[in-house]
Amino acid sequence: EAIRLNSEVPAYFSNRSAAFVEMGDFQAALEDGKVAETLDPSWPKPHFRQGIALRALKRFDMAISAFAYGQSLDPNNPSWQQEIE
């Protein structure tokens, strides 16, 4: 409902991406992660969402790239390196 009311808030898509991951719909999670990135390219969270979805889809190289890019936006967060390893 929130996305229907305001489709310009990247956090809505990021949160829905996380929900799709929990439901096992990794393609939908990836798509929402991409929308969130488009809405706010400087926010690292969409790259995390994409990385999780890509890893679940067994697109490992792309997942590592998503995590690495997110890490470049948020270099002080140690969680990125855990995802890349």
Side-chain angles (χ1 to χ4, degrees):
E1 172 112 15
I3 289 174
R4 187 177 59 76
L5 294 173
N6 186 349
S7 62
E8 300 298 316
V9 179
Y12 294 166
F13 289 94
S14 178
N15 291 344
R16 190 170 72 175
S17 175
F20 281 136
V21 166
E22 291 299 316
M23 295 186 308
D25 191 344
F26 304 115
Q27 187 61 45
L30 177 60
E31 291 167 13
D32 272 3
K34 288 179 179 181
V35 173
E37 176 189 5
T38 299
L39 292 171
D40 187 353
S42 66
W43 188 34
K45 181 73 70 136
H47 302 283
F48 181 81
R49 301 290 190 218
Q50 290 175 55
I52 295 293
L54 287 162
R55 184 173 57 205
L57 292 167
K58 301 192 185 320
R59 297 183 202 163
F60 301 114
D61 289 343
M62 294 175 72
I64 290 170
S65 293
F67 290 132
Y69 191 76
Q71 183 180 36
S72 75
L73 296 173
D74 186 20
N76 296 322
N77 184 339
S79 298
W80 293 107
Q81 192 59 39
Q82 292 172 3
E83 296 299 335
I84 293 170
E85 293 174 351

Coordinates of all heavy atoms in Angstrom, one line a residue:
E1 N 0.8 -1.2 0.0 CA 0.0 0.0 0.0 C 0.9 1.3 0.0 O 0.6 2.2 -0.7 CB -0.9 0.0 1.2 CG -1.7 1.3 1.4 CD -3.1 1.2 1.2 OE1 -3.7 0.1 1.1 OE2 -3.7 2.3 1.0
A2 N 1.9 1.3 0.8 CA 2.8 2.5 0.8 C 3.4 2.8 -0.5 O 3.4 4.0 -0.9 CB 3.9 2.3 1.8
I3 N 3.8 1.8 -1.3 CA 4.3 2.0 -2.6 C 3.3 2.6 -3.5 O 3.5 3.5 -4.3 CB 5.0 0.7 -3.2 CG1 6.2 0.4 -2.4 CG2 5.3 0.9 -4.7 CD1 6.9 -0.9 -2.8
R4 N 2.1 2.1 -3.4 CA 1.0 2.6 -4.2 C 0.7 4.1 -3.9 O 0.5 4.9 -4.8 CB -0.3 1.8 -4.0 CG -1.4 2.2 -5.0 CD -2.7 1.3 -4.7 NE -3.2 1.4 -3.4 CZ -3.9 2.4 -2.9 NH1 -4.2 3.4 -3.7 NH2 -4.4 2.4 -1.7
L5 N 0.8 4.5 -2.7 CA 0.6 5.9 -2.3 C 1.7 6.8 -2.6 O 1.5 8.0 -3.0 CB 0.3 5.9 -0.8 CG -1.0 5.3 -0.3 CD1 -1.1 5.3 1.2 CD2 -2.2 5.9 -1.0
N6 N 3.0 6.3 -2.6 CA 4.1 7.1 -2.9 C 5.3 6.2 -3.4 O 6.0 5.6 -2.6 CB 4.6 7.9 -1.7 CG 5.7 8.9 -2.0 OD1 6.3 8.8 -3.1 ND2 6.0 9.7 -1.1
S7 N 5.4 6.1 -4.7 CA 6.4 5.2 -5.3 C 7.8 5.9 -5.5 O 8.6 5.4 -6.3 CB 5.9 4.8 -6.7 OG 5.7 5.9 -7.5
E8 N 8.0 7.0 -4.8 CA 9.3 7.7 -4.9 C 10.2 7.5 -3.6 O 11.2 8.1 -3.5 CB 9.0 9.2 -5.1 CG 8.3 9.5 -6.4 CD 9.0 9.0 -7.6 OE1 10.2 9.3 -7.7 OE2 8.4 8.4 -8.5
V9 N 9.8 6.6 -2.7 CA 10.5 6.4 -1.5 C 11.3 5.1 -1.6 O 10.7 4.0 -1.6 CB 9.6 6.4 -0.3 CG1 10.4 6.1 1.0 CG2 8.7 7.6 -0.2
P10 N 12.6 5.3 -1.7 CA 13.4 4.0 -1.9 C 13.3 3.0 -0.8 O 13.4 1.8 -1.0 CB 14.9 4.6 -2.1 CG 14.8 6.0 -1.6 CD 13.4 6.5 -1.7
A11 N 13.1 3.5 0.5 CA 13.0 2.6 1.6 C 11.8 1.6 1.5 O 11.9 0.5 1.9 CB 12.9 3.4 2.9
Y12 N 10.8 2.1 0.8 CA 9.6 1.2 0.6 C 10.0 0.0 -0.2 O 9.7 -1.1 0.1 CB 8.5 1.9 0.0 CG 7.8 3.0 0.8 CD1 7.0 3.9 0.2 CD2 8.1 3.2 2.2 CE1 6.4 5.0 0.9 CE2 7.5 4.2 2.9 CZ 6.7 5.1 2.3 OH 6.1 6.1 3.0
F13 N 10.7 0.3 -1.3 CA 11.2 -0.8 -2.2 C 12.2 -1.7 -1.5 O 12.2 -2.9 -1.7 CB 11.7 -0.2 -3.5 CG 10.6 0.4 -4.4 CD1 10.3 1.7 -4.3 CD2 9.8 -0.5 -5.2 CE1 9.3 2.2 -5.1 CE2 8.8 0.1 -6.0 CZ 8.5 1.4 -5.9
S14 N 13.1 -1.1 -0.8 CA 14.1 -1.9 -0.1 C 13.5 -2.8 0.9 O 13.8 -4.0 1.0 CB 15.1 -0.9 0.6 OG 16.1 -1.6 1.3
N15 N 12.5 -2.3 1.7 CA 11.8 -3.1 2.7 C 11.0 -4.2 2.0 O 11.0 -5.3 2.5 CB 10.9 -2.2 3.5 CG 11.6 -1.3 4.4 OD1 12.8 -1.5 4.7 ND2 11.0 -0.3 4.9
R16 N 10.4 -3.9 0.9 CA 9.6 -4.9 0.2 C 10.6 -6.0 -0.4 O 10.3 -7.2 -0.4 CB 8.7 -4.3 -0.9 CG 7.8 -5.4 -1.5 CD 6.7 -4.8 -2.4 NE 7.3 -4.3 -3.6 CZ 6.5 -3.9 -4.6 NH1 5.2 -3.8 -4.5 NH2 7.1 -3.5 -5.8
S17 N 11.8 -5.5 -0.8 CA 12.8 -6.5 -1.3 C 13.1 -7.5 -0.2 O 13.2 -8.7 -0.5 CB 14.0 -5.7 -1.8 OG 15.0 -6.6 -2.1
A18 N 13.3 -7.0 1.0 CA 13.6 -7.9 2.1 C 12.5 -8.8 2.4 O 12.7 -10.0 2.7 CB 13.9 -7.0 3.4
A19 N 11.3 -8.3 2.3 CA 10.1 -9.2 2.4 C 10.0 -10.3 1.4 O 9.8 -11.5 1.7 CB 8.8 -8.4 2.4
F20 N 10.3 -9.9 0.1 CA 10.4 -10.9 -0.9 C 11.4 -12.0 -0.7 O 11.2 -13.2 -1.0 CB 10.6 -10.3 -2.3 CG 9.4 -9.6 -2.9 CD1 9.5 -8.4 -3.5 CD2 8.2 -10.3 -2.9 CE1 8.4 -7.8 -4.1 CE2 7.0 -9.7 -3.5 CZ 7.2 -8.4 -4.1
V21 N 12.6 -11.6 -0.2 CA 13.6 -12.6 0.2 C 13.1 -13.6 1.2 O 13.2 -14.8 1.1 CB 14.9 -11.9 0.7 CG1 15.8 -12.9 1.4 CG2 15.6 -11.2 -0.4
E22 N 12.4 -13.1 2.2 CA 11.8 -13.9 3.3 C 10.8 -14.9 2.7 O 10.7 -16.0 3.2 CB 11.2 -13.1 4.4 CG 12.2 -12.3 5.2 CD 13.2 -13.3 5.9 OE1 12.8 -14.3 6.5 OE2 14.4 -13.0 5.9
M23 N 10.1 -14.5 1.6 CA 9.1 -15.3 1.0 C 9.7 -16.2 -0.1 O 9.0 -17.1 -0.6 CB 8.0 -14.5 0.3 CG 7.2 -13.7 1.3 SD 5.8 -12.8 0.6 CE 6.5 -11.9 -0.7
G24 N 11.0 -16.0 -0.4 CA 11.6 -16.9 -1.3 C 11.5 -16.4 -2.8 O 11.8 -17.1 -3.7
D25 N 11.0 -15.2 -3.0 CA 10.8 -14.7 -4.3 C 12.0 -13.8 -4.6 O 11.9 -12.6 -4.5 CB 9.5 -13.9 -4.4 CG 9.1 -13.5 -5.9 OD1 10.0 -13.6 -6.7 OD2 7.9 -13.2 -6.1
F26 N 13.1 -14.4 -5.0 CA 14.4 -13.7 -5.1 C 14.4 -12.8 -6.4 O 15.0 -11.8 -6.3 CB 15.5 -14.7 -5.1 CG 15.5 -15.5 -3.9 CD1 15.3 -16.9 -4.0 CD2 15.7 -15.0 -2.6 CE1 15.3 -17.7 -2.9 CE2 15.7 -15.8 -1.5 CZ 15.5 -17.1 -1.6
Q27 N 13.7 -13.2 -7.4 CA 13.6 -12.3 -8.6 C 12.9 -11.0 -8.3 O 13.4 -9.9 -8.7 CB 13.0 -13.0 -9.8 CG 13.1 -12.3 -11.1 CD 14.5 -12.0 -11.5 OE1 15.4 -12.9 -11.5 NE2 14.8 -10.8 -11.9
A28 N 11.8 -11.1 -7.6 CA 11.1 -9.9 -7.2 C 11.9 -9.1 -6.2 O 11.9 -7.8 -6.3 CB 9.7 -10.3 -6.6
A29 N 12.6 -9.7 -5.3 CA 13.5 -9.0 -4.4 C 14.6 -8.2 -5.2 O 14.9 -7.1 -4.9 CB 14.2 -10.0 -3.4
L30 N 15.2 -8.9 -6.2 CA 16.2 -8.2 -7.0 C 15.6 -7.0 -7.7 O 16.2 -5.9 -7.7 CB 16.7 -9.2 -8.0 CG 17.8 -8.6 -9.0 CD1 19.0 -8.1 -8.3 CD2 18.2 -9.7 -10.0
E31 N 14.4 -7.2 -8.3 CA 13.8 -6.0 -9.0 C 13.5 -4.9 -8.1 O 13.8 -3.7 -8.5 CB 12.5 -6.5 -9.7 CG 12.8 -7.5 -10.8 CD 11.5 -8.3 -11.3 OE1 10.4 -7.9 -10.9 OE2 11.7 -9.2 -12.1
D32 N 13.0 -5.1 -6.9 CA 12.7 -4.0 -6.0 C 14.1 -3.4 -5.5 O 14.1 -2.2 -5.3 CB 11.9 -4.5 -4.8 CG 10.4 -4.4 -5.0 OD1 10.0 -4.0 -6.1 OD2 9.7 -4.7 -4.1
G33 N 15.1 -4.2 -5.3 CA 16.4 -3.6 -5.0 C 16.9 -2.7 -6.1 O 17.5 -1.6 -5.8
K34 N 16.7 -3.0 -7.3 CA 17.1 -2.2 -8.4 C 16.3 -0.9 -8.5 O 16.8 0.2 -8.8 CB 16.9 -2.9 -9.8 CG 18.0 -4.0 -9.9 CD 17.8 -4.7 -11.3 CE 18.8 -5.8 -11.5 NZ 18.7 -6.5 -12.8
V35 N 15.0 -1.0 -8.2 CA 14.2 0.3 -8.1 C 14.7 1.2 -7.0 O 14.8 2.4 -7.2 CB 12.7 -0.1 -8.0 CG1 11.8 1.2 -7.7 CG2 12.1 -0.8 -9.2
A36 N 14.9 0.6 -5.9 CA 15.4 1.4 -4.7 C 16.7 2.1 -5.1 O 16.9 3.3 -4.8 CB 15.6 0.6 -3.5
E37 N 17.6 1.4 -5.8 CA 18.9 2.0 -6.2 C 18.6 3.1 -7.2 O 19.3 4.2 -7.1 CB 19.7 0.9 -6.9 CG 21.0 1.5 -7.5 CD 21.8 0.5 -8.3 OE1 21.3 -0.6 -8.6 OE2 22.9 0.8 -8.7
T38 N 17.7 2.9 -8.1 CA 17.4 4.0 -9.1 C 16.9 5.2 -8.4 O 17.3 6.4 -8.8 CB 16.4 3.5 -10.1 OG1 16.9 2.4 -10.8 CG2 16.0 4.6 -11.1
L39 N 16.1 5.1 -7.4 CA 15.5 6.2 -6.6 C 16.6 6.9 -5.8 O 16.5 8.1 -5.6 CB 14.4 5.7 -5.8 CG 13.1 5.3 -6.5 CD1 12.1 4.6 -5.6 CD2 12.5 6.4 -7.3
D40 N 17.6 6.2 -5.3 CA 18.6 6.8 -4.5 C 19.9 6.1 -4.7 O 20.3 5.2 -3.9 CB 18.2 6.8 -3.0 CG 19.2 7.6 -2.2 OD1 20.3 8.1 -2.7 OD2 19.0 7.8 -1.0
P41 N 20.6 6.4 -5.8 CA 21.9 5.7 -6.1 C 23.0 5.8 -5.0 O 23.9 5.0 -5.0 CB 22.3 6.4 -7.4 CG 21.2 7.1 -7.9 CD 20.3 7.4 -6.8
S42 N 22.9 6.8 -4.2 CA 24.0 6.9 -3.2 C 23.7 6.2 -1.9 O 24.5 6.1 -1.0 CB 24.2 8.4 -2.8 OG 23.0 8.9 -2.2
W43 N 22.5 5.5 -1.8 CA 22.2 4.8 -0.6 C 22.7 3.3 -0.7 O 22.3 2.6 -1.7 CB 20.7 4.8 -0.4 CG 20.1 4.2 0.9 CD1 20.7 4.3 2.1 CD2 18.9 3.5 1.0 NE1 19.9 3.6 3.0 CE2 18.8 3.2 2.4 CE3 17.9 3.2 0.1 CZ2 17.7 2.5 2.9 CZ3 16.8 2.5 0.7 CH2 16.7 2.1 2.0
P44 N 23.5 2.8 0.2 CA 24.1 1.5 0.1 C 23.1 0.3 0.2 O 23.3 -0.7 -0.3 CB 25.2 1.5 1.1 CG 24.9 2.5 2.1 CD 24.0 3.6 1.4
K45 N 22.0 0.5 1.0 CA 21.1 -0.6 1.3 C 20.6 -1.3 0.1 O 20.5 -2.6 0.1 CB 20.0 -0.1 2.2 CG 19.0 -1.2 2.6 CD 19.5 -2.1 3.7 CE 19.7 -1.4 4.9 NZ 19.2 -2.1 6.1
P46 N 20.2 -0.6 -1.0 CA 19.7 -1.4 -2.2 C 20.7 -2.4 -2.7 O 20.3 -3.4 -3.3 CB 19.3 -0.3 -3.2 CG 19.0 0.9 -2.3 CD 20.0 0.8 -1.2
H47 N 22.0 -2.0 -2.6 CA 23.0 -2.9 -3.1 C 23.1 -4.2 -2.3 O 23.3 -5.3 -2.8 CB 24.3 -2.2 -3.2 CG 24.3 -1.0 -4.1 ND1 24.3 -1.1 -5.4 CD2 24.1 0.3 -3.8 CE1 24.1 0.1 -6.0 NE2 24.0 1.0 -5.0
F48 N 22.9 -4.0 -1.0 CA 22.8 -5.2 -0.1 C 21.6 -6.1 -0.5 O 21.8 -7.3 -0.6 CB 22.7 -4.7 1.4 CG 22.6 -5.9 2.3 CD1 23.8 -6.5 2.8 CD2 21.4 -6.3 2.9 CE1 23.8 -7.5 3.7 CE2 21.4 -7.3 3.8 CZ 22.6 -8.0 4.2
R49 N 20.5 -5.4 -0.7 CA 19.3 -6.2 -1.1 C 19.5 -7.0 -2.4 O 19.1 -8.1 -2.5 CB 18.1 -5.3 -1.2 CG 17.7 -4.5 0.0 CD 17.1 -5.4 1.1 NE 16.6 -4.5 2.2 CZ 16.7 -4.8 3.4 NH1 17.3 -5.9 3.8 NH2 16.2 -4.0 4.4
Q50 N 20.1 -6.3 -3.3 CA 20.4 -6.9 -4.6 C 21.4 -8.1 -4.4 O 21.2 -9.2 -5.0 CB 21.0 -5.9 -5.6 CG 19.9 -4.9 -6.1 CD 20.6 -3.9 -7.0 OE1 21.2 -4.2 -8.0 NE2 20.4 -2.6 -6.6
G51 N 22.4 -7.9 -3.6 CA 23.4 -8.9 -3.4 C 22.8 -10.2 -2.8 O 23.1 -11.3 -3.2
I52 N 21.9 -10.0 -1.8 CA 21.3 -11.1 -1.2 C 20.4 -11.9 -2.2 O 20.5 -13.1 -2.3 CB 20.4 -10.7 0.0 CG1 21.2 -10.1 1.1 CG2 19.5 -11.8 0.5 CD1 22.1 -11.0 1.8
A53 N 19.7 -11.1 -3.0 CA 18.8 -11.8 -4.1 C 19.7 -12.5 -5.1 O 19.4 -13.6 -5.5 CB 17.9 -10.7 -4.7
L54 N 20.7 -11.8 -5.6 CA 21.6 -12.4 -6.6 C 22.3 -13.7 -6.1 O 22.4 -14.7 -6.8 CB 22.6 -11.4 -7.1 CG 22.1 -10.3 -7.9 CD1 23.0 -9.1 -8.0 CD2 21.8 -10.8 -9.3
R55 N 22.7 -13.7 -4.8 CA 23.3 -14.9 -4.3 C 22.3 -16.0 -4.2 O 22.6 -17.2 -4.6 CB 23.9 -14.6 -2.9 CG 24.6 -15.8 -2.3 CD 25.3 -15.4 -1.0 NE 24.3 -14.9 0.0 CZ 24.7 -14.1 1.0 NH1 25.9 -13.8 1.2 NH2 23.7 -13.7 1.9
A56 N 21.1 -15.7 -3.8 CA 20.0 -16.7 -3.8 C 19.7 -17.3 -5.2 O 19.4 -18.4 -5.3 CB 18.8 -16.2 -3.1
L57 N 19.9 -16.4 -6.2 CA 19.6 -16.8 -7.6 C 20.9 -17.5 -8.2 O 20.9 -17.8 -9.4 CB 19.2 -15.6 -8.4 CG 17.9 -15.0 -8.1 CD1 17.7 -13.6 -8.7 CD2 16.7 -16.0 -8.5
K58 N 21.9 -17.7 -7.4 CA 23.2 -18.3 -7.8 C 23.9 -17.5 -8.8 O 24.6 -18.1 -9.6 CB 22.9 -19.8 -8.2 CG 22.3 -20.6 -7.1 CD 22.3 -22.1 -7.4 CE 21.6 -22.9 -6.4 NZ 21.8 -22.6 -5.0
R59 N 23.7 -16.2 -8.8 CA 24.5 -15.3 -9.7 C 25.6 -14.7 -8.8 O 25.6 -13.6 -8.5 CB 23.6 -14.3 -10.3 CG 22.5 -14.8 -11.1 CD 21.7 -13.7 -11.7 NE 20.4 -14.1 -12.1 CZ 19.4 -13.4 -12.4 NH1 19.5 -12.0 -12.3 NH2 18.2 -13.9 -12.7
F60 N 26.5 -15.6 -8.5 CA 27.5 -15.2 -7.5 C 28.4 -14.1 -7.8 O 28.7 -13.2 -7.0 CB 28.3 -16.5 -7.1 CG 27.5 -17.6 -6.5 CD1 27.4 -18.8 -7.2 CD2 26.8 -17.4 -5.4 CE1 26.6 -19.8 -6.8 CE2 26.0 -18.5 -4.9 CZ 25.9 -19.6 -5.6
D61 N 28.9 -14.0 -9.1 CA 29.8 -12.9 -9.5 C 29.0 -11.6 -9.4 O 29.6 -10.6 -8.9 CB 30.3 -13.1 -10.9 CG 31.3 -14.2 -11.0 OD1 31.9 -14.6 -9.9 OD2 31.6 -14.7 -12.1
M62 N 27.8 -11.6 -9.8 CA 27.0 -10.3 -9.7 C 26.7 -10.0 -8.3 O 26.7 -8.8 -7.9 CB 25.7 -10.5 -10.5 CG 25.9 -10.6 -12.0 SD 24.4 -11.0 -12.9 CE 23.6 -9.4 -12.8
A63 N 26.5 -11.0 -7.4 CA 26.2 -10.7 -6.0 C 27.5 -10.1 -5.4 O 27.3 -9.1 -4.6 CB 25.9 -12.0 -5.3
I64 N 28.6 -10.6 -5.7 CA 29.9 -10.0 -5.1 C 30.0 -8.6 -5.6 O 30.4 -7.7 -4.8 CB 31.1 -10.9 -5.5 CG1 31.0 -12.2 -4.7 CG2 32.4 -10.1 -5.2 CD1 32.0 -13.2 -5.1
S65 N 29.7 -8.3 -6.9 CA 29.8 -7.0 -7.4 C 28.8 -6.0 -6.7 O 29.2 -4.9 -6.4 CB 29.5 -6.9 -8.9 OG 30.5 -7.6 -9.6
A66 N 27.6 -6.5 -6.4 CA 26.6 -5.6 -5.7 C 27.1 -5.3 -4.3 O 27.1 -4.2 -3.8 CB 25.3 -6.3 -5.7
F67 N 27.6 -6.3 -3.6 CA 28.2 -6.1 -2.2 C 29.4 -5.2 -2.3 O 29.5 -4.3 -1.4 CB 28.5 -7.4 -1.6 CG 27.4 -8.3 -1.2 CD1 27.4 -9.7 -1.5 CD2 26.3 -7.8 -0.5 CE1 26.3 -10.5 -1.2 CE2 25.2 -8.6 -0.2 CZ 25.2 -10.0 -0.5
A68 N 30.3 -5.4 -3.2 CA 31.5 -4.5 -3.3 C 31.1 -3.1 -3.6 O 31.7 -2.2 -3.0 CB 32.4 -5.1 -4.4
Y69 N 30.1 -2.9 -4.4 CA 29.7 -1.5 -4.7 C 29.0 -0.9 -3.5 O 29.3 0.3 -3.1 CB 28.7 -1.4 -5.9 CG 28.5 0.0 -6.4 CD1 29.5 0.7 -7.1 CD2 27.4 0.7 -6.0 CE1 29.3 2.0 -7.5 CE2 27.2 2.0 -6.4 CZ 28.2 2.6 -7.1 OH 28.0 3.9 -7.5
G70 N 28.2 -1.6 -2.8 CA 27.6 -1.2 -1.5 C 28.7 -0.8 -0.5 O 28.6 0.2 0.2
Q71 N 29.7 -1.6 -0.5 CA 30.8 -1.4 0.5 C 31.6 -0.1 0.1 O 32.0 0.7 1.0 CB 31.8 -2.5 0.4 CG 33.0 -2.4 1.4 CD 33.9 -3.5 1.4 OE1 34.2 -4.1 0.3 NE2 34.4 -3.9 2.5
S72 N 31.6 0.2 -1.2 CA 32.3 1.5 -1.6 C 31.5 2.7 -1.2 O 32.1 3.8 -1.0 CB 32.5 1.5 -3.1 OG 31.3 1.8 -3.8
L73 N 30.2 2.5 -1.0 CA 29.3 3.6 -0.6 C 29.3 3.7 1.0 O 29.0 4.8 1.5 CB 27.9 3.4 -1.1 CG 27.7 3.5 -2.6 CD1 26.3 3.1 -2.9 CD2 28.0 4.8 -3.1
D74 N 29.7 2.6 1.6 CA 29.6 2.5 3.1 C 30.8 1.8 3.6 O 30.7 0.7 4.2 CB 28.3 1.8 3.4 CG 28.0 1.7 4.9 OD1 28.5 2.6 5.7 OD2 27.2 0.9 5.3
P75 N 32.0 2.4 3.4 CA 33.2 1.6 3.7 C 33.5 1.4 5.2 O 34.3 0.5 5.5 CB 34.3 2.6 3.2 CG 33.7 3.9 3.1 CD 32.3 3.7 2.9
N76 N 32.8 2.0 6.1 CA 33.0 1.8 7.5 C 32.1 0.7 8.1 O 32.2 0.4 9.3 CB 32.8 3.1 8.3 CG 33.9 4.1 7.9 OD1 35.0 3.8 7.7 ND2 33.5 5.4 7.8
N77 N 31.3 0.1 7.3 CA 30.4 -1.0 7.8 C 31.1 -2.3 7.5 O 31.3 -2.7 6.4 CB 29.1 -0.9 7.0 CG 28.1 -1.9 7.5 OD1 28.4 -2.9 8.2 ND2 26.8 -1.6 7.2
P78 N 31.5 -3.0 8.6 CA 32.2 -4.3 8.4 C 31.3 -5.4 7.9 O 31.8 -6.4 7.4 CB 32.6 -4.6 9.8 CG 31.7 -3.9 10.7 CD 31.3 -2.7 10.0
S79 N 30.0 -5.3 7.8 CA 29.1 -6.3 7.3 C 29.4 -6.6 5.8 O 29.1 -7.7 5.4 CB 27.7 -5.9 7.6 OG 27.4 -5.8 8.9
W80 N 29.8 -5.6 5.1 CA 30.0 -5.8 3.7 C 31.0 -6.8 3.4 O 30.8 -7.7 2.6 CB 30.4 -4.5 3.0 CG 29.3 -3.4 3.0 CD1 29.3 -2.3 3.7 CD2 28.1 -3.4 2.2 NE1 28.1 -1.6 3.5 CE2 27.4 -2.3 2.5 CE3 27.6 -4.3 1.3 CZ2 26.2 -2.0 1.9 CZ3 26.4 -4.0 0.7 CH2 25.7 -2.9 1.0
Q81 N 32.1 -6.8 4.1 CA 33.2 -7.7 3.9 C 32.8 -9.1 4.2 O 33.2 -10.1 3.5 CB 34.5 -7.4 4.7 CG 35.7 -8.1 4.3 CD 36.1 -7.9 2.9 OE1 36.0 -6.8 2.3 NE2 36.5 -9.0 2.2
Q82 N 31.9 -9.3 5.2 CA 31.4 -10.6 5.5 C 30.6 -11.2 4.4 O 30.7 -12.4 4.1 CB 30.5 -10.6 6.8 CG 31.3 -10.2 8.0 CD 30.4 -10.0 9.2 OE1 29.1 -10.1 9.1 NE2 30.9 -9.6 10.3
E83 N 29.9 -10.4 3.7 CA 29.1 -10.8 2.5 C 29.9 -11.2 1.3 O 29.6 -12.0 0.6 CB 28.0 -9.8 2.2 CG 27.0 -9.5 3.2 CD 26.2 -10.7 3.6 OE1 26.0 -11.7 2.8 OE2 25.7 -10.8 4.7
I84 N 31.0 -10.4 1.2 CA 31.9 -10.7 0.0 C 32.7 -11.9 0.2 O 33.0 -12.6 -0.8 CB 32.8 -9.4 -0.2 CG1 32.0 -8.2 -0.6 CG2 33.9 -9.7 -1.2 CD1 32.7 -6.9 -0.6
E85 N 33.1 -12.3 1.4 CA 33.9 -13.5 1.6 C 33.1 -14.7 1.4 O 32.5 -15.4 1.2 CB 34.4 -13.5 3.1 CG 35.4 -12.4 3.3 CD 35.9 -12.3 4.7 OE1 35.4 -12.9 5.6 OE2 36.8 -11.5 4.9

